[in-house]
Amino acid sequence: MSTDSDKASIPTDADLLALHVKGDPDAFGEIVRRHRDRLWAVALRTLGDREEAADAVQDALVSAYRAAHTFRGQSAVTTWLHRITVNACLDRARKAASRRTSPVAETERLEQLLEPEESAEAPAEREDLHRELFRALRTLPEEQRAALVLVDMQGYPVAEAAEILDIPTGTVKSRCARGRARLLPLVTHLRADGRGSEPTSRGRNRAQGTSVPPTAGPNDTGAVKGGGGRA
């Protein structure tokens, strides 16, 4: 059983980031261990593609590693990391939107979102629901998709989502409202036929899937430049 003194000895995220800036070789790895799964969940739901999500998280972590000295503590470290990750996802989503894809390729990517165990054991109706939900989500503009993922799928309060996206709370609410309005005609039939009850699942970190694949070292190339900014 941990004591108050034990808890006091556990470094905060900000402590670890400061240690990393000072040259501690293990500090940033601990930050990654603490937050990688949540970053992975956001990336996967924003991009709808496991490889793209893994690459986005890798880009974000490399960018954060390199930009750690710019962190001024104006937000929580986790908020800062989420902002970098969301921006990396939006960059990839915009690039993907410029490339036309065939329906077959689209279906293959959506199928990658199902865990191997779920694909083998879950009822066919659930698999169809997953595919249709993510297909509908991918029709949204990137900014609306990011807001909906954070608020409706990850369960972040609007104020925290606004801080992550670096936009006013009113803009988050507006993007969520417009996104829901666009999604509703696409997912109403999923609720009507008894295969699902909600177009999105609420609650932070619910049904995240497996952890992000291990990332390469921080010297990997291809990092998102700047690591932050307005989403």
Side-chain angles (χ1 to χ4, degrees):
M1 184 175 181
S2 60
T3 64
D4 291 340
S5 59
D6 292 332
K7 293 178 181 178
S9 66
I10 298 175
T12 66
D13 291 341
D15 292 336
L16 289 171
L17 202 62
L19 289 171
H20 163 65
V21 172
K22 292 178 180 178
D24 188 303
D26 302 316
F28 194 81
E30 174 61 18
I31 293 176
V32 172
R33 187 192 67 79
R34 291 180 182 182
H35 300 289
R36 187 172 61 186
D37 284 356
R38 273 208 270 168
L39 300 178
W40 164 243
V42 169
L44 181 59
R45 285 168 166 168
T46 302
L47 292 169
D49 181 287
R50 296 183 69 85
E51 290 186 7
E52 286 286 321
D55 287 345
V57 173
Q58 171 73 5
D59 288 349
L61 291 176
V62 171
S63 183
Y65 181 95
R66 293 174 175 173
H69 65 283
T70 68
F71 180 75
R72 296 292 179 260
Q74 296 175 336
S75 62
V77 171
T78 183
T79 300
W80 179 69
L81 290 172
H82 275 72
R83 182 181 303 147
I84 296 173
T85 301
V86 169
N87 283 337
C89 290
L90 293 179
D91 285 344
R92 287 185 170 273
R94 292 182 186 113
K95 291 175 183 177
S98 66
R99 301 191 298 268
R100 296 183 63 87
T101 58
S102 68
V104 173
E106 188 78 8
T107 300
E108 289 174 349
R109 281 201 300 275
L110 290 166
E111 287 174 345
Q112 292 173 3
L113 292 171
L114 297 172
E115 299 303 322
E117 297 81 6
E118 183 174 325
S119 297
E121 299 173 6
E125 293 83 357
R126 183 172 175 81
E127 295 183 17
D128 291 341
L129 176 64
H130 275 259
R131 293 189 187 99
E132 292 197 48
L133 286 176
F134 279 101
R135 183 178 290 112
L137 192 62
R138 285 172 66 87
T139 67
L140 298 181
E142 295 86 357
E143 291 80 5
Q144 292 177 19
R145 191 190 316 169
L148 275 180
V149 165
L150 290 173
V151 175
D152 282 4
M153 301 185 77
Q154 293 300 111
Y156 284 95
V158 169
E160 192 169 350
E163 196 171 2
I164 290 171
L165 296 173
D166 196 22
I167 57 178
T169 56
T171 303
V172 174
K173 294 177 181 178
S174 176
R175 289 180 182 179
C176 285
R178 292 199 302 269
R180 293 178 193 126
R182 293 182 63 146
L183 279 181
L184 187 59
L186 302 177
V187 300
T188 299
H189 68 287
L190 300 180
R191 294 188 293 178
D193 64 10
R195 291 187 297 169
S197 58
E198 292 292 338
T200 55
S201 58
R202 294 185 180 273
R204 185 177 299 187
N205 302 322
R206 191 174 173 185
Q208 287 182 4
T210 56
S211 300
V212 63
T215 57
N219 293 325
D220 196 329
T221 58
V224 176
K225 304 300 182 185
R230 188 170 299 274

